[in-house]
Amino acid sequence: MWGKKQNLKPEEENQKLVQNNEPEYNILKQKTIKELIAPSGIDASNIDHLEIVSNTKRYARSFFVSALPRMATFPELFRDLYLFGDVNTSIYINPVPEAKSQNELNRVINQLETERIVAADRGNINRQSTVGQKRYEAEQLRDEIAAGFNKLYEASIVSTLFAYSLEDLDKFTSLLATEMSKSLVGIKSAWGIQEDAFKSNLPLMDNKIKKVHTFDRRSMGTIFPFTTSEVGHSTGVPLGFNKQTGVPILFDNFHPSLSNYNMVIFAKSGAGKSVTMKTLISRSAVLMGIESLALDAEGEYSIVAESLGGINVVLGPNSKTIINLFDIEPEIIKDEITGKERIVLNVENKVEDVTQALLTMARGSTRSTEVNELTKQIIAEAVAEEYSASRNYI
């Protein structure tokens, strides 16, 4: 049957084309977050683990934090949990209203006071002292919250451990519990509620198990993983390897990312402070041409200096090398007004330096209380007179 052809505008033709191909157009719709992160299937029939079916079968076991230490230390509290192999951790934090905090703390204080009185009547001095200390801490926390200096939070910590076999999962579970116990943190398997615990640890913001602990503001700040596995600079000398990533660690004392060139090393005796410094000095000299000056009271850097072609200057009673404390050299300074450079002798600063050095020597040799501010003034006047006489002589 012949009909009359309909004349359409280009926009109408495109719209009609899309309508006719609506099934193909629906393919371009964005997927939801559940569709993006969901595996092929999950078997939740076991009460102590899940079987995740995807390209390869994996096993998962979820935990929750059941016990916390009395004191929280950053970054030690949950660091072993965050860095333990193939594990995901979610933390749900809810602030507690001040009114509820005050009521709960008052109730706890009354309970502790009752326990303290009972312990005192029974003559249990140890129990009385312990409960009294807890009551004092609860009162202190209540007063801080009332003054606005502190706040209470309820936090739920859920973790899920993954492995490719059930034997590895059991082994990793035991190892994780051991590692966490070192920082006095207790973890328990979400026995019987593995499915809810696994869903709680997904990025869906839905805490289904609600195993909460109470933190104050200071202890709450210790749980955030403000640490990084990236250590060192892009340039510098190699000092070792990063145990987490296996990447060499480079250190550049003059890197522009540093605010200054100062560095300090703290460690217990025998931990390797001297070895680290010797490594840094020697490799900086060979690789970057940096010259170092070591004030060495024990003489352990002499071998490093000789190996690098440096000079050992020995100071002592029998040494031919001496230090002239009174030696003064001209300095080049820039005039703030004219901007021109000029040569000056900064005698005033030199008098102060020499006075401090002589005062230290006097205190070190006599160890007398007579070396005081009056002694310092006498030394300063004598040093100033010497420089004045030398200037007149010149």
Side-chain angles (χ1 to χ4, degrees), residues 37-195:
I37 67 176
S40 301
I42 297 179
D43 183 2
S45 60
N46 197 291
I47 60 176
D48 198 30
H49 69 269
L50 302 177
E51 294 184 16
I52 303 174
V53 181
S54 187
N55 295 332
T56 57
K57 180 182 288 188
R58 300 175 70 196
Y59 296 84
R61 179 172 290 145
S62 297
F63 306 86
F64 61 87
V65 172
S66 60
L68 291 171
R70 186 168 174 267
M71 302 293 291
T73 305
F74 177 83
E76 302 294 333
L77 187 60
F78 294 139
R79 183 174 64 177
D80 293 333
L81 182 62
Y82 298 147
L83 301 179
F84 187 88
D86 192 0
V87 62
N88 295 336
T89 302
S90 298
I91 301 177
Y92 295 88
I93 303 174
N94 293 313
V96 180
E98 281 71 11
K100 182 180 178 180
S101 301
Q102 295 290 323
N103 293 334
E104 290 295 327
L105 286 172
N106 286 329
R107 181 179 59 82
V108 171
I109 291 170
N110 292 333
Q111 291 178 351
L112 293 174
E113 178 62 17
T114 302
E115 292 184 24
R116 189 190 68 81
I117 295 174
V118 172
D121 293 339
R122 296 179 178 178
N124 192 342
I125 300 176
N126 293 333
R127 179 62 179 171
Q128 180 184 358
S129 175
T130 302
V131 175
Q133 178 65 25
K134 291 182 178 180
R135 180 182 180 274
Y136 170 75
E137 293 176 356
E139 289 180 343
Q140 186 179 17
L141 180 58
R142 180 196 60 188
D143 296 339
E144 289 179 356
I145 294 174
F149 297 116
N150 211 334
K151 189 176 180 63
L152 290 185
Y153 300 87
E154 289 182 344
S156 178
I157 302 96
V158 186
S159 293
T160 303
L161 182 63
F162 298 91
Y164 287 98
S165 67
L166 193 56
E167 293 78 10
D168 288 343
L169 184 64
D170 294 336
K171 180 178 66 175
F172 294 153
T173 299
S174 177
L175 183 58
L176 177 60
T178 303
E179 291 296 324
M180 296 303 297
S181 64
K182 294 179 181 178
S183 54
L184 302 180
V185 176
I187 60 172
K188 285 186 178 180
S189 173
W191 196 86
I193 53 173
Q194 284 291 321
E195 183 178 357

Side-chain angles (χ1 to χ4, degrees), residues 277-279 281-282 300-310 312:
M277 283 306 305
K278 291 175 183 178
T279 302
I281 290 173
S282 58
E300 59 177 314
Y301 288 85
S302 59
I303 299 177
V304 179
E306 294 174 357
S307 302
L308 297 175
N312 281 319

Side-chain angles (χ1 to χ4, degrees), residues 85-383:
D86 192 0
V87 62
N88 295 336
T89 302
S90 298
I91 301 177
Y92 295 88
I93 303 174
N94 293 313
V96 180
E98 281 71 11
K100 182 180 178 180
S101 301
Q102 295 290 323
N103 293 334
E104 290 295 327
L105 286 172
N106 286 329
R107 181 179 59 82
V108 171
I109 291 170
N110 292 333
Q111 291 178 351
L112 293 174
E113 178 62 17
T114 302
E115 292 184 24
R116 189 190 68 81
I117 295 174
V118 172
D121 293 339
R122 296 179 178 178
N124 192 342
I125 300 176
N126 293 333
R127 179 62 179 171
Q128 180 184 358
S129 175
T130 302
V131 175
Q133 178 65 25
K134 291 182 178 180
R135 180 182 180 274
Y136 170 75
E137 293 176 356
E139 289 180 343
Q140 186 179 17
L141 180 58
R142 180 196 60 188
D143 296 339
E144 289 179 356
I145 294 174
F149 297 116
N150 211 334
K151 189 176 180 63
L152 290 185
Y153 300 87
E154 289 182 344
S156 178
I157 302 96
V158 186
S159 293
T160 303
L161 182 63
F162 298 91
Y164 287 98
S165 67
L166 193 56
E167 293 78 10
D168 288 343
L169 184 64
D170 294 336
K171 180 178 66 175
F172 294 153
T173 299
S174 177
L175 183 58
L176 177 60
T178 303
E179 291 296 324
M180 296 303 297
S181 64
K182 294 179 181 178
S183 54
L184 302 180
V185 176
I187 60 172
K188 285 186 178 180
S189 173
W191 196 86
I193 53 173
Q194 284 291 321
E195 183 178 357
D196 290 338
F198 183 80
K199 291 179 180 179
S200 300
N201 202 17
L202 294 177
L204 303 176
M205 287 296 296
D206 186 11
N207 185 13
K208 295 181 176 295
I209 61 174
K210 294 180 173 57
K211 303 288 185 178
V212 298
H213 297 272
T214 303
F215 292 79
D216 70 338
R217 181 176 295 170
R218 289 183 288 269
S219 59
M220 193 81 260
T222 64
I223 71 169
F224 293 95
F226 291 144
T227 56
T228 177
S229 59
E230 299 299 327
V231 181
H233 305 115
S234 57
T235 59
V237 298
L239 290 181
F241 290 91
N242 190 329
K243 289 186 177 180
Q244 298 294 331
T245 62
V247 177
I249 297 176
L250 303 180
F251 180 77
D252 185 359
N253 216 87
F254 304 95
H255 197 270
S257 64
L258 301 177
S259 57
N260 54 57
Y261 308 139
N262 301 325
M263 180 179 65
V264 61
I265 298 178
F266 292 105
K268 63 182 180 180
S269 179
K273 299 184 296 295
S274 298
V275 174
T276 302
M277 283 306 305
K278 291 175 183 178
T279 302
L280 183 61
I281 290 173
S282 58
R283 293 181 180 177
S284 297
V286 174
L287 300 177
M288 304 180 68
I290 297 175
E291 297 181 356
S292 302
L293 173 64
L295 301 178
D296 183 13
E298 299 181 358
E300 59 177 314
Y301 288 85
S302 59
I303 299 177
V304 179
E306 294 174 357
S307 302
L308 297 175
I311 302 174
N312 281 319
V313 179
V314 181
L315 301 178
N318 301 324
S319 175
K320 296 181 180 180
T321 304
I322 61 174
I323 298 178
N324 184 7
L325 297 177
F326 295 87
D327 187 22
I328 183 171
E329 296 181 358
E331 301 177 9
I332 300 176
I333 64 171
K334 191 174 184 179
D335 193 283
E336 296 180 355
I337 299 176
T338 63
K340 295 182 179 180
E341 295 181 348
R342 57 191 178 92
I343 301 175
V344 297
L345 280 175
N346 199 338
V347 180
E348 290 77 11
N349 290 346
K350 188 63 180 180
V351 169
E352 178 65 23
D353 294 340
V354 173
T355 302
Q356 291 292 345
L358 294 177
L359 192 65
T360 302
M361 294 168 64
R363 287 173 176 169
S365 60
T366 62
R367 298 185 182 276
S368 172
T369 57
E370 297 178 0
V371 182
N372 49 29
E373 289 299 320
L374 179 60
T375 308
K376 179 181 179 181
Q377 184 64 29
I378 295 173
I379 294 175
E381 292 176 358
V383 172

